[in-house]
Every structure is written in C-alpha cells, then in structure tokens.
C-alpha cells in the first residue's frame, strides 16, 4: 500500500495542490484554528494540524502529504477492525475491515495528498469510544467519544453523521 504510493495515481489533482498550499499557509500562520477561512469555508483547524503533521514527517510536498493521508487511511482500516470487533465475531470483523480497505474511496483516495480520510477516522474512533464506554460502563470513554464526535462535527461536514449514528445505536439498544 505504501510502497507504490508515489506512483499511484500518476496524475496530480488540483485539489492536492490546493490542500497542500492551504495546509502550508495555516501551519506557518495558524491565527485562529476555530475560524472559518477562505478555502471552501472550511474550518482552519484541520488544515493547521494537517500542515504541522506534514512538516513533522518531512515537509509539505506531494510525497509527504500523500504518505500522511495513506497512513491515516491505514489507521482508519485498523480502527474499523476494532469497531467491528466490538460488534461482531473476529472473522466478520476482519471481512468488514477488508471491505473498507479495498473500497475505492479508501484505496485510491488515500493515495492523494488530501484530508478526506480524517472524517472517517474521526467518526470510527468516536464510535469505538462510545460503544466501548457504553458496554463497559466507562463514562470517561463515552465522554471522550462525544468529544471526538464533536471534533468530527467541527472538522469535516460529513463527519457530522456521528451523532445520528449514535442515536440510532442507542435506540437500537433501547
């Protein structure tokens, strides 16, 4: 997955350049990470973190930002296995994580210098904390799950689905 990262996809997307430029700008001059900015009216916080992580692993260039996004994609697949394992037997959890990993969105978009996997990663981590905390009576885990879901609500609009999913889960348990 990581070995052929620089070769696939061959072409460079204009979105990759825009994400890298905005991340570099916000990492160097973070200002207010909770404010909305000019890039598609997205909150600045994710771009600040993305830019700082890019600088930390070697710089904000095509290779390092693609590598960063691919690592988040792999972490998302691992987190999906943990979530599925909380709900399903080992074989079904493995199959579910495998299906997430070979999914077009996870497999090919993870090879771009984007930040889209962060929404899925945040959502899955929030659900892991919420489900695990609920099952084991761990109020801190439930609180942290809600906090992470709140971060997802702020960071990326599609991650706002965490709250409705959690409500459906609670209704199903009830």
């Amino acid at each position: 997955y990581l070995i052929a990262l620089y070769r696939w996809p061959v072409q460079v997307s204009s979105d990759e350049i825009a994400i890298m430029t905005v991340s570099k700008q916000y990492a160097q001059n973070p200002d207010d990470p909770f404010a909305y900015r000019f890039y598609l009216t997205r909150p600045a916080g994710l771009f600040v973190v993305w830019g700082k992580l890019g600088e930390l692993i070697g710089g904000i260039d095509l290779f390092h930002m693609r590598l960063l996004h691919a690592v988040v994609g792999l972490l998302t697949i691992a987190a999906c296995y943990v979530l599925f394992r909380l709900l399903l037997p080992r074989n079904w959890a493995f199959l579910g994580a495998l299906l997430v990993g070979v999914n077009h969105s996870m497999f090919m978009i993870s090879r771009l210098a984007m930040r889209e996997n962060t929404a899925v990663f945040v959502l899955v981590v929030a659900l892991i904390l919420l489900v695990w905390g609920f099952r084991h009576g761990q109020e801190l885990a439930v609180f942290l799950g809600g906090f992470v879901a709140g971060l997802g609500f702020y960071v990326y609009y599609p991650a706002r689905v965490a709250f409705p999913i959690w409500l459906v889960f609670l209704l199903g348990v009830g």
Side-chain angles (χ1 to χ4, degrees), residues 1-170:
Y1 192 79
L2 294 175
I3 292 172
L5 176 69
Y6 199 63
R7 293 181 295 194
W8 297 342
V10 176
Q11 69 187 41
V12 178
S13 166
S14 61
D15 288 339
E16 290 180 282
I17 303 302
I19 298 287
M20 288 189 304
T21 303
V22 172
S23 296
K24 186 173 190 173
Q25 177 187 1
Y26 290 177
Q28 292 172 349
N29 190 12
D31 198 27
D32 182 7
F34 296 104
Y36 285 98
R37 298 301 175 98
F38 71 91
Y39 183 72
L40 299 175
T41 66
R42 298 280 193 249
L46 179 60
F47 291 106
V48 172
V49 171
W50 210 241
K52 295 285 186 189
L53 287 173
E55 289 175 348
L56 184 68
I57 65 168
I60 299 175
D61 58 18
L62 194 59
F63 174 73
H64 290 102
M65 296 308 278
R66 282 182 174 180
L67 177 65
L68 177 62
H69 197 227
V71 167
V72 171
L74 290 173
L75 289 172
T76 302
I77 294 166
C80 284
Y81 174 78
V82 172
L83 176 63
F84 297 151
R85 189 67 185 103
L86 286 171
L87 302 170
L88 302 168
R90 181 176 292 130
N91 291 339
W92 287 109
F94 177 79
L95 179 63
L98 180 69
L99 290 175
V100 169
V102 297
N103 174 321
H104 164 73
S105 298
M106 192 60 66
F107 188 70
M108 289 308 289
I109 292 178
S110 291
R111 296 183 173 284
L112 299 172
M114 303 293 278
R115 85 246 179 274
E116 273 71 16
N117 287 347
T118 55
V120 179
F121 181 68
V122 167
L123 171 66
V124 172
V125 168
L127 290 174
I128 288 169
L129 289 167
L130 289 166
V131 169
W132 187 81
F134 187 75
R135 279 198 169 169
H136 298 298
Q138 296 290 327
E139 294 174 1
L140 179 61
V142 173
F143 171 78
L144 290 175
F147 178 76
V148 172
L151 282 178
F153 193 90
Y154 164 74
V155 168
Y156 195 58
Y157 297 130
R160 293 178 177 189
V161 76
F163 289 111
I165 288 174
W166 180 240
L167 290 175
V168 167
F169 177 80
L170 287 178

